[in-house]
Amino acid sequence: MTNNKNNDKPLYLSDYLKIDKSISIIFSIASKASFLFKSSELQEKRNIISILFTNLEING
């Protein structure tokens, strides 16, 4: 058990297991990102790009 720096609530093993599961899901989705993007409809691709590059600024 360790203390969380955001608050003084202790972290338990179950907290770490939830974090581990979340990271696993993120990596699973990321590993399929290319396939998911290529197989998406045009509007879905536009939505994905707009989410990924919400704050994109191009100078030049």
Side-chain angles (χ1 to χ4, degrees):
M1 174 174 69
T2 60
N3 283 340
N4 184 346
K5 293 183 182 188
N6 294 333
N7 56 28
D8 292 330
K9 182 179 164 187
L11 291 175
Y12 295 96
L13 180 59
S14 61
D15 296 322
Y16 288 108
L17 293 176
K18 289 177 189 173
I19 293 168
D20 185 53
K21 180 69 174 172
S22 296
I23 291 171
S24 175
I25 292 169
I26 290 168
F27 277 113
S28 175
I29 294 169
S31 69
K32 299 172 188 169
S34 176
F35 170 76
L36 293 172
F37 186 79
K38 288 177 184 176
S39 64
S40 297
E41 299 288 328
L42 182 59
Q43 188 58 45
E44 291 172 323
K45 289 179 182 181
R46 288 183 178 143
N47 290 340
I48 292 169
I49 290 170
S50 68
I51 291 168
L52 291 175
F53 299 111
T54 301
N55 296 321
L56 178 66
E57 291 184 23
I58 299 175
N59 297 321

